Every structure is written in C-alpha cells, then in structure tokens.
Amino acid sequence: MHRPTFVPVPPFDLVVFGATGDLSQRKLFPSLLHRFLDGQIPENSRIIGAARTPMDTEAFRKVVQENQSKFAPGVCVDEAQCSEFLKHLHYVTLDAMAPASEWAALKQELANGRDNVRIFYLATAPSLFVPVAQRLGETKLATPKSRIVLEKPIGRDLASAREINDGVGAVFDEDRIFRIDHYLGKETVQNLLVLRFANMLVEPIWSRQTIDHVQITVAEEIGVEGRGDYYDKSGALRDMVQNHIMQLLCLTAAEAPNSMDADAIRTEKIKVLSALKHFDARDVVTKTVRGQYRAGLVDGKPAPSYTEEIGRPSRTETYVAIKAEIENWRWAGVPFYLRTGKRLAKRRSEIVVQFKTPPVLIFGEEELPNRLVLRLQPDEGVNLWLNMKEPGPGGLYVKAAPLNLSFADEFVVRYPDAYERLLMDVVRGNLSLFMRRDEVEAAWKWADNLLAAWDEAGGDPKPYAAGSTGPEAAANLMDRDRRTWWDPE
Ligand code: BG6
C-alpha cells in the first residue's frame, strides 16, 4: 500500500516567542527545516521569530542558518532549497512583557490579508505564558482560529499550573491550547499505543494477573548543560518525572481508548494519574530515592559534580527513583518503578515489563521471568525475553533468550525529531499528543504530594558518582521488594 510520507497541512503563520533561545534554535527551526525539505510546509506559510534581541529579518535568518549547521549538520545538502526555507522566516523585535501598544510590529507582520492558521508558540519561561496570552487577547492578535503552544514546564506546582491554565484559558479555549510534552512526539512513545492496542497477543496479558512489575528508566549522560539556573529550582522530579515519565506511565497503564480521538486517549490517561497512590513522610524512605551527582567519569571523560557545574551549593536532586502504585483493578499490587537521572553511565530510555514466574517451576530455579523490554532511545526496538532449552545433549537446561525487534533494521527510515510531528499536529489541530489541562494538574497533584513528603522528611539527596548507575539507595529500594533493576551490560 502506498502511504504518503506526511499528512498535508493548511498554510500557517507561526509566531515563535523566544525565537533566539536554545529550544527554538536547537529543536524548532531544525524541525521546521526538515518538514520544509519534505515538502510539508505550504508555500504561503510564514514563520515569525519574536524575541527581545534587536535585529532585522536578514540578521535573524543568518542566526538560524548558522545554528542549523550546528544543530542539524548535513541536512542542507541542497543549499538552494535551504535558502528557500529561510525565505519563510521573518523577525520582530519584541519584549513579551511590553504593553499592548508596543506590539504594533507583530501586528503589522501578521496583517497579510491571508486566512492562514495562526499559531503562537511560547518557547519561553512559564512566567511569560499568561502575560503573553493577555497581550495576544488585548491586541486582538488572538483570533478565534488561533492556537497557542505552551512548552513544559507548565508551572512548578499545582497552584502555578492552575494560574497558567486559568490565565491562558481566559484568552484561548481549551481546544486551542497545545501543551507540549515532547516525549509524546517520539516515535517509540507513540508506538506504545500501537503495541498495546493493535496486537491481540498483548492485551490479555497486560494486567496484575500476569505482570509482576514495570520499570521505567530515563537515564541521561548529560549534566545540566548551562541550564543550571532553571534546573536548580526544578530538580529531576519537576523536570522529568511530573511530565515525561508520567506520560510514559500513563501510556503503559491506561485502558484502551475507544478511538484515537484526542479526548478518548486523554480521558484514559487522566484515570491513571488520578489512581496514583500518594506518599506520606514514611514512604519517602521506603519508596523514593533522591540523588545528586558528584564528580566522576562519564564515557571515560572526567565530569564535574553538579554543584561545580552550577557554581554553588545545592540540595536539588539530579536523580530520582520512585516506587509508584496505581490503585485500580488492573494494576493493584503491581509496582511501577520509575527512575531518571543526569550524568548516568549511559543514555538509555526503556520500559521493562516483567512478568510473573510460572506457578510451578518444573525446570527448576533457572526459569527466569519473561520480560518485555521496550527500548525508547537509543537503539529503538523491542525485546521479548523467553525461556528456551539450551541446545546440547547434556541434559535439559533452560536459558533466557531475547526475540529482538530492532526498528533500525526493520523500518529503514530516518527517525523524525519529536518536534517535527508535534509542530505539524498543531497546524492540523490534532490534540492527541498534547496534554489536557486536567492531565497536567493531576500530574502536579501527585508530584506536589511527593515534594511535600520530601520536605517533611528532610535530608539531603544521596551522592552518586557521575558515570555510575545512580545512588546505591536505588538498588536497595528494589532489594527490599526482592527485585532488581534491569541494567544489561
Ligand atoms: C527536557 C528536560 O524536557 O527533556 C531536560 O528539561 C532533558 O533536562 C530532556 O535533558 C530530555 O529529552 P530527550 O529527548 O533528550 O530524552
């Protein structure tokens, strides 16, 4: 069957606030370039960068071009085509906090008489979300057809998330608000739904009847990379768990949606979030671990400690491990062990579903539990570990061996960046891969409760060496439940 390489989108005007910032230059513009080179960006579309730095459109195009060779090296094989892409870019100097009267330049830029889909992408600090939405309302730049895109983090707790949701919601209806969690744009994350709900084999075994526990790991080699000011106020729980890991947990645990309709999916996710068990101060010791990296060796190279990297003392966690529990019929008694950290031995995001052992071990203790390992990044794929007879005449010995599906071997395609898919979904008005207001708030409710329990319990994060697998306490958390983390060599 012939499949189109992309879904056509209508012509659009995309205004990127924070256009000179890291996210825009590193992710958004390279993603738009890819979509352009594939022919997905309609001719009459315009991409308008807005930021405080005074410059004109020509200078802005140069900045984007230079950064593209840095962040999307080798993509511009055809220079002429890439210059065509740059022609879609425009720039207005704008202080997003400036009063509505100073928004004339943007207004003029947008007044082109076309009926394009209008998108405002806020690649800015969350403190700007409400003021920018208000200005967009006051200046009437926000038309009934406009959409607004908010980058994570949506606030730093439930109260601030609600303020943002209320403030932005006063100008844009909920179905015009696209809250980004870029993990949802990753191919392998979307594949979770397909694996679960397009394969009859999977669903009947996907519950407490057969599953012993689930592990979700998002390990990073990088440190805080010049984002110390933001990260130190945030920490791993707010930066990674409240959003990315919660989304992975939801997609692993949710009931089958009735359709791929955005609200059908999001409604199932929120049911998982609201069934998450809360923590008290005693649980902090038995069910959670906070860590912070010290100096060490990452990939054989010396790496500084977290506090050296940010240049001041800190008690912020750069690692967390959590035993999460979902109190519903499908998952009661099946822990979801979550862990994420910076400066760990290897970049690796994985979901491991570990099954129960057979009720009677007729082959003896060598029978290992079956494991389904979903490799999200890198080396994307799926491993299913099964017990097999080890060949040989010497007797009947059982050995665990993997069925290995490598996406790179099976589907020889370029993996698009998550933002390519998400940006085009905004233009198409498809909300399936974006977070609904109640989802964000439910995730904060759970995270706030844990933050409060940590506060009450006090104590410092446990040290771990950069380049290690994390603090020893994380191994102990599993030991206590007679389980181990899946850390293959
Ligand atoms: C971001 C976090 O949301 O996700 C970063 O703020 C983190 O701290 C990043 O490094 C990880 O994303 P990815 O796509 O590299 O796994």
Side-chain angles (χ1 to χ4, degrees):
M1 187 173 86
H2 172 71
R3 291 196 173 85
T5 45
F6 57 79
V7 183
V9 299
F12 60 88
D13 290 336
L14 166 66
V15 182
V16 180
F17 291 93
T20 52
D22 195 59
L23 174 74
S24 303
Q25 297 294 329
R26 199 185 274 268
K27 292 284 184 189
L28 303 185
F29 295 121
S31 294
L32 289 162
L33 171 66
H34 272 295
R35 294 296 84 230
F36 175 80
L37 294 176
D38 275 355
Q40 196 175 9
I41 297 194
E43 213 173 296
N44 291 333
S45 304
R46 288 141 35 96
I47 300 159
I48 302 164
R52 264 188 311 194
T53 318
M55 67 177 131
D56 60 14
T57 288
E58 269 323 302
F60 179 64
R61 288 178 180 167
K62 253 204 193 93
V63 171
V64 173
Q65 191 178 26
E66 274 163 23
N67 280 321
Q68 258 162 6
S69 35
K70 202 151 106 201
F71 299 125
V75 175
C76 275
V77 186
D78 183 341
E79 290 295 334
Q81 239 194 331
C82 286
S83 319
E84 279 307 305
F85 169 70
L86 292 175
K87 286 188 195 155
H88 285 272
L89 301 185
H90 302 262
Y91 185 79
V92 290
T93 307
L94 178 65
D95 178 349
M97 295 299 276
S101 55
E102 289 176 32
W103 285 53
L106 180 59
K107 219 167 175 178
Q108 203 177 338
E109 207 46 74
L110 280 168
N112 57 9
R114 296 199 195 107
D115 192 25
N116 283 3
V117 171
R118 187 176 285 184
I119 300 155
F120 300 103
Y121 195 120
L122 274 56
T124 64
S127 54
L128 290 182
F129 292 171
V130 175
V132 171
Q134 279 167 350
R135 299 294 181 281
L136 292 171
E138 286 157 19
T139 51
K140 305 240 175 344
L141 283 168
T143 58
K145 254 181 118 176
S146 304
R147 296 167 192 161
I148 190 164
V149 186
L150 307 179
E151 257 300 330
K152 76 148 260 268
I154 311 286
R156 52 172 286 106
D157 53 19
L158 177 59
S160 53
R162 276 190 177 144
E163 264 172 45
I164 291 172
N165 286 333
D166 287 344
V168 174
V171 183
F172 293 86
D173 290 341
E174 179 63 26
D175 63 354
R176 308 240 157 230
I177 305 177
F178 290 72
R179 298 180 189 83
I180 288 221
D181 181 313
H182 79 278
Y183 266 54
L184 292 176
K186 289 183 191 272
E187 290 282 330
T188 43
V189 175
Q190 291 165 47
N191 199 38
L192 265 170
L193 285 176
V194 179
L195 177 96
R196 289 194 53 205
F197 303 124
N199 295 295
M200 194 51 208
L201 265 180
V202 178
E203 177 54 20
I205 57 166
W206 209 256
S207 75
R208 59 198 294 267
Q209 315 301 338
T210 38
I211 293 177
D212 177 72
H213 74 274
V214 176
Q215 301 180 15
I216 301 181
T217 301
V218 179
E220 296 189 281
E221 271 180 41
I222 55 168
V224 289
E225 305 218 292
R227 298 157 73 223
D229 279 347
Y230 150 75
Y231 192 88
D232 202 46
K233 286 190 215 107
S234 194
L237 186 80
R238 289 188 173 96
D239 185 52
M240 295 295 287
V241 180
Q242 185 272 344
N243 33 74
H244 305 325
I245 293 196
M246 277 299 111
Q247 289 297 328
L248 298 179
L249 176 131
C250 283
L251 294 178
T252 309
E255 297 299 314
N258 293 347
S259 70
M260 281 303 285
D261 172 73
D263 274 331
I265 299 170
R266 299 188 304 176
T267 299
E268 295 309 333
K269 285 198 285 171
I270 187 142
K271 286 188 199 157
V272 175
L273 291 169
S274 36
L276 278 171
K277 193 167 173 184
H278 280 202
F279 302 89
D280 60 31
R282 271 172 315 172
D283 295 333
V284 165
V285 182
T286 53
K287 295 184 184 168
T288 77
V289 174
R290 278 176 296 167
Q292 190 190 79
Y293 59 84
R294 301 288 186 261
L297 286 178
V298 179
D299 236 355
K301 292 187 210 93
S305 69
Y306 173 68
T307 50
E308 279 161 355
E309 214 173 316
I310 65 163
R312 56 178 177 272
S314 166
R315 293 177 59 202
T316 298
E317 82 284 356
T318 60
Y319 177 101
V320 279
I322 299 168
K323 178 181 177 181
E325 291 158 290
I326 303 170
E327 297 188 292
N328 66 15
W329 272 57
R330 187 185 283 265
W331 296 115
V334 180
F336 280 64
Y337 297 98
L338 320 173
R339 60 178 170 163
T340 182
K342 295 216 177 272
R343 287 262 194 252
L344 293 173
K346 238 176 50 215
R347 176 172 180 254
R348 181 164 72 94
S349 298
E350 258 174 19
I351 300 177
V352 178
V353 179
Q354 182 158 323
F355 293 88
K356 294 184 171 169
T357 42
V360 182
L361 302 177
I362 60 171
F363 301 107
E365 292 304 314
E366 284 166 54
E367 284 176 62
L368 292 174
N370 298 139
R371 274 197 190 98
L372 180 67
V373 181
L374 312 170
R375 300 193 307 271
L376 305 178
Q377 63 184 28
D379 184 23
E380 293 80 357
V382 179
N383 274 18
L384 177 60
W385 288 81
L386 299 171
N387 286 315
M388 290 291 140
K389 178 188 177 299
E390 198 169 1
L396 206 159
Y397 298 108
V398 172
K399 189 169 189 272
L403 285 177
N404 187 359
L405 169 61
S406 156
F407 294 171
D409 295 345
E410 184 64 29
F411 314 108
V412 197
V413 287
R414 178 183 76 86
Y415 261 60
D417 188 89
Y419 282 95
E420 292 181 44
R421 166 75 197 254
L422 295 174
L423 279 161
M424 292 301 106
D425 274 1
V426 177
V427 181
R428 290 166 59 212
N430 181 355
L431 281 154
S432 313
L433 300 178
F434 297 84
M435 294 177 294
R436 205 166 62 189
R437 172 183 184 142
D438 50 359
E439 245 182 281
V440 175
E441 292 180 6
W444 272 126
K445 210 169 177 182
W446 177 83
D448 274 7
N449 158 261
L450 178 51
L451 288 163
W454 278 346
D455 259 1
E456 197 185 329
D460 288 329
K462 307 265 187 283
Y464 62 98
S468 68
T469 54
E472 226 179 282
N476 300 341
L477 181 145
M478 288 298 237
D479 272 355
R480 272 194 294 279
D481 292 351
R482 295 173 182 271
R483 295 181 174 114
T484 46
W485 293 107
W486 172 251
D487 279 324
E489 281 313 304

